[in-house]
Amino acid sequence: MTAEIIDGKKLAESIKEDIKNTIAVRKAQNLPIPGLATVLVGNNPASKTYVANKIKTTAALGIRSYSYELEENTSQESLEMLISELNDNPEVQGILVQLPLPEHLSEDKVLHSISPKKDVDGIHPYNAGLLSRKYSEPLFYPCTPSGIMRMIESVCPDISGMKAAVVGRSSIVGMPTAMMLSRSNATPTICHSYTKDLDEICRESDILVAAAGSPHLIQGDWIKPGAIVIDVGINHIPDSTKPHGYRLVGDVDFDEAVKRAGAISPVPGGVGPMTIAMLMANTLKAIEYR
Ligand code: NDP
């Protein structure tokens, strides 16, 4: 058996096309169009690439873009002052602070300072809290978990009663993904670096989301035959045949897993493009909260 490939790039393109059309209609009707502010602190090369991609996509969809690049040694006070100004700016509906921040800055305080109504990343504690409450809706669902759920739904619209394993419990990926799986009536097990018998938990799971940041952690024979496998990991491993001297791999041994899974997402071309598409969807949604 060879798994169906869940093409995140293609799925993301169709979501972005819909957003682009909606914005074009809004423009034609003289309705407000959304604005997204991106805040990048310091010189982390990966962060620079992520922010550049987000700005490029924003422009391509007709969303207004406001880009702020701050020095590595920016103080907590001046970063929070900028966020406060953006919170008050009616032209800006979404604020994205690229993580990780330099070590001297408190990510937690920065996230708290963003208005929950402009939290298009969906990771403000207010929105995270609402996500965890059974009968509440967050103002925004977090981008990467939303992308993961859309990918799962693309191959299996009803996951009620299915067993799921989420490897990773971070606030931006693992934990909210487990909550969203539960909200869709699957039964998730949240795994982390202290989890015993991870391979056994994976083997029992109809859905496996790998978000550990550990290259090829999930081996082929850990996959339940026919399972849906979403690989979130982005790992750079040395490869002298590549122009940059490295290549990207996920957390799953794709070549082996593809032989057992029912459906599997690749790296690259899987969750990454979906995260950006969901950010754009959240930015469009943010107009509702103007
Ligand atoms: P974090 O480092 O914040 O979290 C990693 C989690 O994985 C932790 O909960 C950790 O456990 C757990 N973990 C690490 N090693 C193991 C192991 N050997 N066995 C079981 N659990 C383990 O990472 P993020 O959640 O931010 O990101 C995870 C991966 O996803 C990264 O590769 C990142 O680059 C990628 N990513 C991709 C995105 C995309 O759009 N494609 C977006 C965001 C992230 P513990 O809590 O005990 O430390």
Side-chain angles (χ1 to χ4, degrees), residues 144 167-170 172-173 192-194 198 211-213 217 232-235 271-272 275:
T144 302
V167 186
R169 57 176 167 179
S170 72
I172 58 166
V173 189
H192 45 76
S193 60
Y194 294 87
L198 180 62
L217 169 69
V232 191
I234 301 176
N235 306 294
V271 178
T275 296

Side-chain angles (χ1 to χ4, degrees), residues 129-140:
L130 289 175
L131 179 65
S132 71
R133 289 172 61 88
K134 187 173 177 191
Y135 296 112
S136 304
E137 285 287 320
L139 300 175
F140 300 99

Side-chain angles (χ1 to χ4, degrees), residues 12-198:
E13 284 307 325
S14 90
I15 293 167
K16 287 190 292 183
E17 195 56 36
D18 286 349
I19 296 170
K20 189 177 170 184
N21 292 337
T22 304
I23 288 172
V25 169
R26 291 187 71 90
K27 269 187 187 162
Q29 295 175 342
N30 272 328
L31 291 169
I33 57 161
L36 174 67
T38 52
V39 181
L40 173 67
V41 187
N43 302 309
N44 181 322
S47 294
K48 280 191 166 188
T49 309
Y50 293 143
V51 169
N53 277 339
K54 287 165 188 171
I55 293 171
K56 202 171 119 195
T57 309
T58 310
L61 303 192
I63 294 173
R64 279 178 286 108
S65 174
Y66 304 87
S67 162
Y68 297 85
E69 294 195 12
L70 309 182
E71 300 288 336
E72 181 86 23
N73 62 1
T74 299
S75 68
Q76 184 82 30
E77 194 187 6
S78 48
L79 177 55
E80 286 182 25
M81 206 180 295
L82 169 63
I83 292 171
S84 170
E85 283 166 20
L86 295 173
N87 283 339
D88 293 339
N89 184 341
E91 299 293 308
V92 170
Q93 274 70 56
I95 302 171
L96 179 133
V97 178
Q98 185 64 45
L99 303 178
L101 290 170
E103 270 183 15
H104 67 280
L105 297 171
S106 159
E107 280 185 5
D108 208 41
K109 280 189 184 167
V110 170
L111 290 183
H112 271 87
S113 69
I114 297 171
S115 163
K117 290 182 177 178
K118 297 191 176 187
D119 168 40
V120 284
D121 241 351
I123 55 177
H124 188 286
Y126 176 81
N127 285 316
L130 289 175
L131 179 65
S132 71
R133 289 172 61 88
K134 187 173 177 191
Y135 296 112
S136 304
E137 285 287 320
L139 300 175
F140 300 99
Y141 285 88
C143 299
T144 302
S146 297
I148 293 167
M149 294 305 293
R150 291 287 281 264
M151 292 169 88
I152 294 171
E153 281 158 19
S154 75
V155 290
C156 185
D158 182 5
I159 60 169
S160 306
M162 291 171 85
K163 278 190 181 176
V166 181
V167 186
R169 57 176 167 179
S170 72
S171 306
I172 58 166
V173 189
M175 197 59 84
T177 299
M179 286 178 192
M180 289 178 77
L181 285 163
S182 174
R183 288 171 87 100
S184 294
N185 299 324
T187 304
T189 300
I190 303 165
C191 307
H192 45 76
S193 60
Y194 294 87
T195 298
K196 293 193 173 116
D197 304 322
L198 180 62

